[in-house]
Amino acid sequence: MFFNMKERSINSFQNKNIFFRRIQKQLILACTLCYISLPCCVHAQMLVKGNVKASDEPDGLPGATILLKETGLGTVTDYQGNFDIEADQGQTIIVSFVGYATQEFQLTSADFIPITLEADISTLDEIVVVGYGTQRKSDITGSVASIREADMNPGPVASVSNLLQNTAPGVVLTQASAQPGGGFDVKIRGASSVLGANGPLYVIDGFPVTSDNVQPGSSSRHRSSPPRNPLNGINPQDIISIEILKDASATAIYGARGANGVVLITTKRGNSQKLTLDYSSSFSLQRLDREYDMLNAEQFATVSNEVFLSRNPGEDPIYSPAEINTAGDGTNWIDEITRTGTIHQQQIGGSGGFKNLKYYFSANYYQHRGIADVSELERISGRTNLDYTHNRLTAGLSVTFSRTNDKQVPFGADSGGPEFGGLFDNTRYWSPLLSVRDDNGGFTPHPVRTLIPNPVSLLDIEDRINTNRILGTAFVQYEITSGLKAKLNLGRDQSNSEREALIPLSVIRGAQANGEGEAGETDSWSTLAELTLTYQKELSNNSSLTFLAGSTFQQFDSEGSSSLFIGFADQTTDFSEITSADTIGTVPFKERSRLLSYLARVNYSLNDRYLLTFSFRADGSTKFGSGNKWGYFPSGAFAWKIHNENFFSSSFIDELKFRVSYGQIGNQEIGNKRSQSLYNVTRRTVIGGSPIQGLAALRPDNPDLKWETTTQFNIGLDFALLGNRIYGSIDAYEKNTDDVLLDFQLPGTAGFDVVTLNAGCIRNRGIELGLTSRNIVSEFEWVSSFNIGFNENEWRDRAGFYPEGEQIAEENGPLGGIYGYQVIGLFQSQEEIDNSPDQSAVAVAQPGTFKYQDTNEDGVITPEDRILLGNVDPDYTFGLNNTFSYKNFDLNFFFQGSMGREKLNFTRAYLEDVDDITEGFNKSEAVLDRWTPDNPNGTVPGADGILGGFADNSEYIEDASFVRLRNITLGYTFNNVKKISNLRVYADIQNLITITPFEGADPETDEFRQYPNAKTYTLGISATF
Amino acid sequence: MKIIHKLTNLCFAFCLLAMAVLSVRCSDALEEDVFVDVASNNFFKNDKDAVTAVDAIYAKMRADGSVTGGSGQQEGWGGFGYGEATIFNYQQVQTDEMVVRWSGFGVFTNFTLTPSSYGNVGFVFGDLFEGIFIANNVLTNIEDNDNLSEEIQDRVKGEALFGRALFYSTALSIFGNIPKITQPESDPLNLPKQAPPSEIAQLVIEDLTEAASLLPESYSASDYGRFTKGAAFAQLARFQLNQKNWSAAIDAARTVMALGYTLSSEYSDIFSVNNESNLEIILTIPCIAQPGIGNTMVAHSGEPDFYAGGWGGHLARNEFYDTFDPEDQRKALLIKEYQSATGSMKTVSDGAMIIKYEVDPDRIGPWAGNDIVLHRLGEIYLTLAEALNEENGPNQESIDLINELRGRAFNNNPSKRIKLADFTTKESLRDYILAERSWELYAENYRRDDLLRHGKYIQQAVDRGISNAQSFHILYPIPQDEMDRNSELNQNDGY
């Protein structure tokens, strides 16, 4: 077949046209709604100006929130504490700032308003975003963590995920890959699903986005890589606040998508008429954090000879003494494929407004050239947020566009041996005695296993993914009568991602196929239409009632294809220069799912002491079986503001609120088409001299398939002490997840591999504490915030389900349990082996190999002797942030800890196994102290074939707890620079110190086919005009 | 203000409308759309559907693991091709013909396999039954299906029956005690029991007999590679021989011989790149030099520095290599002296590369275009010779059949012909036929069945120093995964 480049380009061009037309339609709709009432507005609004300062400081208070009570619109004060806001006479403004008492003013004239905030009041009066609305923090009945811009991780970050890292209790982020823009594993209050997603639902400005990967994947060993973060397309510098909804009271309003928690992301908006410009820029250098100490050339040759001679006594050694003497250090293969990485970012943002229109805009450039040569993430993004207010009508538009260019390095395939390795694990198959290139300038071939590609040759692979994403939402809100508002919210999230991968002839695989390439394209789009009605009524005696009802509809589409082709006419490194090739196969895909939902919520506040919240959501989903289309998710919560009781009087306690909530939430994230019996294309075969594919039944019908249901109970306390110097909250919860979706392996005779059933039950229990303390309040200020979350996760009912090969797993063991053999030493002699239980069924037994414990005491070592040796999920995680400020200096330390977690360190196991060193594979320095008859106290197994393919034993299932100095930042603010209201320069170091008992390269990212972690050194500047 | 009121009403009306639209759509909005895949209630609606469904059997013959999954680009080493997870690994590598260099396969070659030590090749059990499921599913869905033409209905039925028999006869040989399933099970949790081997054998014979009556003798070029009447009789002859039903084997073999196949004049032509035109061949897995659909025999046997590349995994044993008459042309396809990638000549010491399939100059990586031979006339000659000897041996017809093949192998050198007078007993000719089969059919997946039929499978292992080989090793263990998933299964004796 002929591969036509031109035709493909035209197709994608047309797709983009359609893409822009789709966006255009939404813009037109939003603009129409915005401007439709412009001509008719001649109304008496006034511009109110004022200044906010704190009672304990002489200067104005920057960043205080000014909110119009009637419309919910507002502004923040500038650097000197000044603000202006448009309002009608008689309206009330609410002035608030973290750590100060909120004040209300009724506007009677346009006079300048001086406001002094008292510092003795709690943080509980911040306005926080909740599902489908906002609430005063003091009125919240559920468990909600708020992260403000000031609390977010400093330094350059690629995605929203980095901002979440250990900043709130109970939110556990583990970096899945250290590559530029690498993904994160995010769990809120533990994992509750085996088959489905365990990550939270992300809602950006009211739009629930899918965290599915939108990039075309690849199954090939030279193109596979851990997925990059799907949130990379959202610029984190546009974010002003993040709310993390944790308990059922907060999340049940998101129904079948709420079980893993919900992350609400709010972007910056314009809030005054004055134009403010912000500019920030940073530049970072990255150095490889830590790697294994490998044998140098001299050591490698020596150990190779020793191993060879122990197997072939009396023969000539592989390397002569002369060769060993002149070997020196030799080639460090990691050095050959790594470099000093750089991160470079530029952001310009502005906000301001006209009479009725407020705007925010930003443009951002982010470029991360990783420490592996070639690997890179580049993003250009822009955002425009508009708000229009006129009388009872409010309308808004939020649009962000991003273009992400990824360059990936190969990570290799999970199976298939060294020939199938990726960039980093390949370095371990190469002797330090070899040079990168041979005398002819070509890549040196592997001397023993000729099909193992030279690691440096893998850098010639071009694997690019270019992604465009537009996320736009538009809303119109109208106040029908006093307190009754109707809001229509429309949105669209659209991305187009193209992958072009090319394996040139310099790579063995490319040479075998005379050039190999893959082109993939994925279009994903999700469309949201929702309508909500809110009724809010202030009742007598400080009581109030808020009622919310609505319906929402969201459709998720994705389609695309990937084509593999081989045999290029020319050797080329540029995809666009491929003129002809044989197409091996084109795999199309197309999927669609829909979610139709109805929701309602009542908030009742009695005497500002007793708070009640009830919420309910009904979700109908296409993903589930015909008999179970609808799921219903109720929740209820009660809170008691004890400090407002007459009987309560304490000079010590300023705030005390007790909360309790109970409710049900679901998880429907299991992929499409799992309930239906389908025929799917088979792999290829040949009939009539041409490749063909058949169709075969994919899975049995399962009309009963449904969402997983989590029932969560939460009890909590919010408090503020000692004149609000110390404040925080403590929560305890229990989450029971029923109907856990499990893939049961079927007997081979069934004709299908698996059947998906709702069967198991998983429990998560935990305690969370978040605490902020203003330790020293003076010219020298010291603020600490600390959070810690304990979570215990276990099976309550496995329903007979055990992961493949783990039939020994404990009935009530943890979801992330790691099972393996208990090592009780090294065999010292054949006699000891003969007198020990026979372990030949699972591993080689020789003097110098591991001796396993016969845990079930049946006299023979079998897979049944494996026991629970660890858990990938931590027992507890914490974050500790300390900020010191003195005059214009500020210093920040951020420690992150993840304790009581284990990891199977396969890399170390492999590097300590000298078995294949004679094939030219290099080993770590640890093998210098391996067991030999002459070194019976050696720490590392020494005989050949020590692992026999098994590393799952107590020696290599390691404690991977760690405490990391994630950030240390030193800043200086200039406040006398002309025309610049705020100029700050700072230096930041990421990952400076990691304390861990883990023996591998990195307790988070170390995998056999890893991308090593880095230390990042940053200089940055930010200015506000 | 009036305008505002109007706007209010407009907005409100719009909201109500939106709500109404959302609600009305609700009933069908939750029906799941199916793209790319085909919903089962929308399949088997025409001839094309039936043909596509039965094509899955051909795909299964070269698949490893799940046959579906769609990418069509996997680099699988399964099915009836060559590789770690193929029938080759079960039927060939642990015999006196072969040596396997890969240490992971020691459990096969050393007879130390246990139910849980299959490693990543244990899915062959599931593979065979997935093939059986596909065949059963086709048979059920085309039965009395008015949407199909009679011609396609017959042909597809024949293909499905042949496929079922091929998978069953293979599973019977490997695992012995297996369930008998002739319908696609609608409830996947329904666990089947094992059936007596005789019942499975009866099913195979019935299926092949019926398939032979339904399948055409040949196809147009665009359908080349499908199962034919000749293939059905050839498979039947092989199966009856293994079952020691001598007269039935004779009948089936004679039927094949009457179908117009002719011996290739050159032995090596049978395995050439363009072997699809060879008239000796009865059934192949057609190959194209592309990833996943090529022939990888050369790659599996070639030394890593062989000019055609390779992994140096499967070699002919030196002891087997030495049994050949030096003048035997069939021996020439076993290579000890080879040209390396750098052009120098090298020697293999621990065996001989099996370059039975001609090196394809247009190969892509390990993938070559030589069709994989499953049945050919030369094999039928030896089957007939052996069955005739068992029925009434020694006899001249057996001798003549063998001499046809020896004539080809030795340039018609009359001194290399065998004579009836050389064989005084049935046993002596039987032993000779077994040897001749290894020279003629080496590495074509016959050896294990041949040794089992002759009662020498365990002895050959003991003779080459595999002291662990015991009588129960004539069957493989049921993989532990399967035992775990189906509590109704009993493990084979000895494991």
Side-chain angles (χ1 to χ4, degrees), chain A residues 664-961:
Chain A
Q664 283 191 328
I665 36 212
N667 183 9
Q668 65 135 17
E669 300 303 320
I670 58 153
N672 295 322
K673 299 188 285 194
R674 297 192 77 108
S675 71
Q676 292 202 53
S677 162
L678 297 174
Y679 283 81
N680 186 229
V681 289
T682 63
R683 57 179 289 128
R684 299 192 306 161
T685 187
V686 179
I687 294 287
S690 306
I692 61 146
Q693 284 174 288
L695 279 167
L698 184 61
R699 63 168 65 87
D701 235 355
N702 187 358
D704 296 328
L705 196 73
K706 63 174 189 173
W707 56 94
E708 299 170 335
T709 301
T710 295
T711 306
Q712 186 173 189
F713 176 73
N714 189 90
I715 185 162
L717 203 62
D718 298 334
F719 55 87
L721 314 171
L722 299 172
N724 288 297
R725 291 281 289 272
I726 297 172
Y727 54 88
S729 26
I730 184 163
D731 279 275
Y733 60 88
E734 177 167 321
K735 279 168 80 174
N736 282 299
T737 305
D738 294 303
D739 298 329
V740 173
L741 288 161
L742 298 172
D743 266 350
F744 284 89
Q745 292 282 334
L746 291 169
T749 48
F752 302 104
D753 293 342
V754 291
V755 60
T756 308
L757 297 175
N758 291 90
C761 177
I762 292 167
R763 184 174 74 188
N764 281 281
R765 291 194 293 192
I767 294 174
E768 295 166 354
L769 170 70
L771 198 62
T772 300
S773 168
R774 301 195 292 144
N775 304 320
I776 299 174
V777 187
S778 67
E779 195 172 30
F780 174 72
E781 192 178 56
W782 175 24
V783 179
S784 302
S785 57
F786 174 70
N787 70 74
I788 188 164
F790 296 83
N791 188 71
E792 177 198 69
N793 161 286
E794 66 179 26
W795 282 96
R796 298 304 293 165
D797 180 8
R798 285 182 178 268
F801 171 82
Y802 291 90
E804 194 71 354
E806 291 199 2
Q807 273 65 28
I808 38 87
E810 290 178 12
E811 181 63 36
N812 288 334
L815 206 55
I818 319 176
Y819 295 84
Y821 302 94
Q822 181 68 46
V823 172
I824 51 174
L826 298 176
F827 284 120
Q828 294 292 338
S829 63
Q830 186 60 43
E831 187 189 1
E832 185 183 356
I833 294 168
D834 295 340
N835 293 328
S836 303
D838 176 18
Q839 67 181 45
S840 63
V842 299
V844 176
Q846 286 177 6
T849 61
F850 285 128
K851 180 178 179 180
Y852 290 156
Q853 187 166 39
D854 181 19
T855 53
N856 63 3
E857 296 180 339
D858 62 353
V860 57
I861 307 292
T862 60
E864 282 69 45
D865 287 308
R866 291 179 304 147
I867 52 171
L868 182 64
L869 288 172
N871 183 357
V872 295
D873 292 315
D875 295 339
Y876 65 99
T877 56
F878 66 86
L880 173 63
N881 199 9
N882 277 295
T883 308
F884 304 91
S885 50
Y886 178 69
K887 294 194 171 166
N888 292 352
F889 287 97
D890 59 271
L891 176 66
N892 177 279
F893 294 93
F894 177 56
F895 286 97
Q896 173 201 2
S898 190
M899 309 302 286
R901 62 195 284 271
E902 284 81 26
K903 198 176 171 81
L904 171 57
N905 192 349
F906 183 77
T907 317
R908 182 166 76 89
Y910 181 78
L911 293 179
E912 292 181 357
D913 179 0
V914 289
D915 181 29
D916 47 17
I917 195 168
T918 52
E919 292 192 47
F921 296 180
N922 201 8
K923 298 293 156 187
S924 69
E925 280 183 359
V927 302
L928 295 173
D929 187 30
R930 69 189 184 286
W931 186 96
T932 59
D934 303 328
N935 183 25
N937 296 321
T939 53
V940 169
D944 58 340
I946 51 167
L947 296 173
F950 298 90
D952 52 344
N953 61 49
S954 58
E955 182 60 25
Y956 297 119
I957 297 171
E958 290 188 39
D959 185 349
S961 303

Side-chain angles (χ1 to χ4, degrees), chain A residues 176-461:
Chain A
S177 168
Q179 64 172 329
F184 281 83
D185 173 33
V186 185
K187 284 174 194 154
I188 295 176
R189 294 189 165 180
S192 61
S193 188
V194 176
L195 198 56
N198 275 312
L201 172 69
Y202 294 91
V203 181
I204 301 174
D205 290 329
F207 189 98
V209 296
T210 62
S211 47
D212 296 343
N213 206 335
V214 297
Q215 297 188 334
S218 175
S219 55
S220 162
R221 59 175 151 145
H222 280 337
R223 290 178 298 273
S224 65
S225 59
R228 297 211 169 177
N229 193 328
L231 294 170
N232 280 347
I234 307 298
N235 173 15
Q237 291 203 48
D238 284 336
I239 294 170
I240 191 159
S241 72
I242 298 172
E243 264 80 25
I244 300 166
L245 314 184
K246 296 192 281 195
D247 73 342
S249 168
T251 58
I253 200 78
Y254 288 101
R257 292 182 292 175
N260 299 319
V262 181
V263 176
L264 303 178
I265 294 163
T266 309
T267 59
K268 295 173 183 169
R269 309 194 79 82
N271 43 36
S272 78
Q273 288 205 0
K274 195 179 149 203
L275 172 64
T276 311
L277 287 176
D278 293 296
Y279 169 74
S280 69
S281 171
S282 70
F283 184 77
S284 317
L285 294 176
Q286 279 199 315
R287 300 300 300 272
L288 181 69
D289 188 3
R290 200 153 66 135
E291 253 298 329
Y292 289 87
D293 293 322
M294 302 292 281
L295 298 177
N296 68 18
E298 185 188 338
Q299 293 165 327
F300 171 80
T302 308
V303 176
S304 296
N305 279 353
E306 288 168 7
V307 172
F308 179 80
L309 291 174
S310 74
R311 292 185 208 160
N312 307 283
E315 289 195 26
D316 288 339
I318 307 174
Y319 304 101
S320 68
E323 279 176 292
I324 293 175
N325 287 335
T326 56
D329 281 345
T331 305
N332 181 327
W333 287 94
I334 288 280
D335 287 350
E336 298 295 332
I337 56 162
T338 54
R339 62 181 173 190
T340 299
T342 58
I343 306 175
H344 175 204
Q345 89 170 346
Q346 300 277 354
Q347 159 111 358
I348 184 155
S351 66
F354 307 104
K355 202 169 167 48
N356 296 50
L357 188 68
K358 303 280 188 291
Y359 59 80
Y360 168 84
F361 64 87
S362 76
N364 178 278
Y365 176 77
Y366 182 91
Q367 185 206 41
H368 182 177
R369 292 157 61 88
I371 54 168
D373 279 343
V374 180
S375 78
E376 182 175 329
L377 166 76
E378 183 186 45
R379 177 182 62 217
I380 300 165
S381 66
R383 170 174 287 275
T384 307
N385 288 352
L386 298 175
D387 290 288
Y388 173 77
T389 319
H390 179 71
N391 292 345
R392 298 173 157 199
L393 183 73
T394 320
L397 181 70
S398 314
V399 181
T400 182
F401 167 81
S402 66
R403 161 84 173 182
T404 315
N405 300 326
D406 288 301
K407 285 184 189 162
Q408 311 217 96
V409 290
F411 284 81
D414 286 337
S415 61
E419 283 81 359
F420 287 72
L423 182 61
F424 285 97
D425 63 315
N426 244 323
T427 60
R428 303 176 190 128
Y429 308 133
W430 287 73
S431 148
L433 289 161
L434 297 171
S435 55
V436 175
R437 291 183 183 267
D438 60 19
D439 298 338
N440 305 325
F443 289 112
T444 307
H446 198 284
V448 184
R449 305 268 289 262
T450 51
L451 290 177
I452 299 177
N454 185 307
V456 183
S457 77
L458 294 174
L459 296 170
D460 285 356
I461 294 172

Side-chain angles (χ1 to χ4, degrees), chain B residues 54-95:
Chain B
V54 85
D55 283 349
I57 290 177
Y58 296 93
K60 191 70 224 176
M61 285 171 66
R62 67 195 328 151
D64 50 350
S66 178
V67 70
T68 56
S71 93
Q73 299 169 0
Q74 297 100 324
E75 302 173 353
W77 315 116
F80 288 77
Y82 295 101
E84 294 90 318
T86 57
I87 301 308
F88 184 74
N89 191 50
Y90 286 76
Q91 298 286 57
Q92 190 70 64
V93 303
Q94 52 292 92
T95 68

Side-chain angles (χ1 to χ4, degrees), chain A residues 573-690:
Chain A
T573 53
D574 189 340
F575 212 86
S576 61
E577 285 174 10
I578 299 168
T579 48
S580 72
D582 291 324
T583 303
I584 295 301
T586 297
V587 184
F589 71 92
K590 181 173 177 174
E591 292 194 3
R592 176 177 294 161
S593 70
R594 284 182 289 262
L595 195 62
L596 174 64
S597 321
Y598 298 95
L599 54 96
R601 182 173 57 211
V602 183
N603 297 92
Y604 179 62
S605 166
L606 179 65
N607 298 339
D608 201 24
R609 285 176 203 166
Y610 312 105
L611 303 165
L612 278 171
T613 304
F614 294 102
S615 77
F616 175 79
R617 179 162 175 142
D619 270 326
S621 170
T622 52
K623 288 187 178 178
F624 294 106
S626 51
N628 269 323
K629 284 294 184 197
W630 284 93
Y632 306 101
F633 305 95
S635 83
F638 166 72
W640 181 22
K641 293 182 180 177
I642 302 169
H643 59 272
N644 283 351
E645 291 288 357
N646 293 330
F647 64 78
F648 186 87
S649 106
S650 163
S651 56
F652 170 68
I653 299 171
D654 307 302
E655 306 272 357
L656 194 61
K657 184 169 79 170
F658 168 79
R659 293 178 276 106
V660 59
S661 73
Y662 186 77
Q664 283 191 328
I665 36 212
N667 183 9
Q668 65 135 17
E669 300 303 320
I670 58 153
N672 295 322
K673 299 188 285 194
R674 297 192 77 108
S675 71
Q676 292 202 53
S677 162
L678 297 174
Y679 283 81
N680 186 229
V681 289
T682 63
R683 57 179 289 128
R684 299 192 306 161
T685 187
V686 179
I687 294 287
S690 306

